Amino acid sequence: MFTGIVQGMARVVAIERLEGLNRHVIDMPPSMLEGLAHGASVAHNGCCLSVTSIEGSLVGFDLMRETLALTNLGALEVNDYVNVERAARLGDEVGGHAMSGHVMCMATLISREDAPNNCRLWFELPQQWARFLFDKGYIGVDGISLTIGEVRDNRFCVNLIPDTLARTVIGTREIGDGVNIEIDPQTQTIVETVERVLAARG
């Protein structure tokens, strides 16, 4: 489980592209290395990946075919940065919301409104996921726990403070960029349960 509170940005230092698999290596921030072990879970732009190698601060991960197709990690190049978060531990403060690290889809940045000390981003996601969007609901965007500001059909906006823009990759996103989306699991469960009950009643 993750909390959506990004702990740092990590630079991609190497990518090995194989058939149906990418192996990439990131330069993990020193503050995130303590206790890191082979097999540990680390979220990259909200996508849960397992550690496959550790050499000092250089940490390797394998990305399988589905991950490459479903997330923006398949488009990474050397020297790109990703948001990183270690898996939550029992007793950790949950400052964001509970996230599984399972990306549902990608959304496209369609509008960016920059103002002094504020930034509003509008995203468009596939129509089938629109039913899980609610004003003031939670959503994971590139692994960042955010509150939805407004919903218009399959479009939604988020409002960002300067700290979020400075500490995460979302500050570098441009119009047309794809971001990883994780719908709030509780919202998804409630909506799908209600849908099943209504369908059963005809």
Side-chain angles (χ1 to χ4, degrees):
M1 189 189 84
F2 302 91
T3 68
I5 303 301
V6 173
Q7 295 165 328
M9 290 187 288
R11 183 171 64 91
V12 179
V13 299
I15 300 175
E16 181 182 7
R17 302 185 192 278
L18 305 172
E19 185 176 352
L21 181 80
N22 280 8
R23 288 181 173 150
H24 77 203
V25 178
I26 63 173
D27 189 2
M28 187 79 87
S31 61
M32 297 179 63
L33 289 171
E34 183 179 355
L36 187 68
H38 192 280
S41 295
V42 179
H44 295 57
N45 289 350
C47 179
C48 179
L49 299 176
S50 297
V51 174
T52 57
S53 66
I54 303 175
E55 295 182 14
S57 66
L58 303 182
V59 185
F61 302 84
D62 287 354
L63 290 75
M64 60 184 169
R65 182 185 295 110
E66 183 176 3
T67 301
L68 298 174
L70 189 63
T71 76
N72 58 19
L73 301 183
L76 288 174
E77 300 289 347
V78 172
N79 292 323
D80 284 345
Y81 282 81
V82 291
N83 293 333
V84 284
E85 180 188 352
R86 296 274 304 270
R89 294 173 294 186
L90 189 64
D92 282 352
E93 178 180 347
V94 181
H97 72 281
M99 295 171 62
S100 66
H102 298 158
V103 173
M104 279 79 167
C105 65
M106 282 195 289
T108 303
L109 179 60
I110 58 172
S111 174
R112 178 172 179 143
E113 304 167 18
D114 288 289
N117 301 314
N118 287 275
C119 180
R120 175 175 292 171
L121 303 180
W122 278 92
F123 297 96
E124 183 177 72
L125 80 173
Q127 186 66 47
Q128 66 264 34
W129 297 101
R131 68 191 198 277
F132 300 117
L133 300 177
F134 296 93
D135 290 359
K136 308 309 176 187
Y138 288 123
I139 196 164
V141 178
D142 274 343
I144 310 164
S145 172
L146 295 172
T147 300
I148 296 173
E150 184 181 347
V151 176
R152 299 175 184 170
D153 192 27
N154 65 326
R155 300 180 176 189
F156 69 94
C157 74
V158 294
N159 297 292
L160 306 173
I161 60 174
D163 186 60
T164 303
L165 295 171
R167 292 195 312 105
T168 73
V169 299
I170 202 167
T172 67
R173 296 302 188 200
E174 299 177 348
I175 303 301
D177 283 352
V179 297
N180 294 336
I181 296 294
E182 180 178 338
I183 300 297
D184 173 39
Q186 291 181 328
T187 299
Q188 184 177 6
T189 299
I190 292 169
V191 169
E192 290 180 344
T193 299
V194 170
E195 289 176 344
R196 283 195 298 270
V197 170
L198 292 176
R201 292 179 178 176

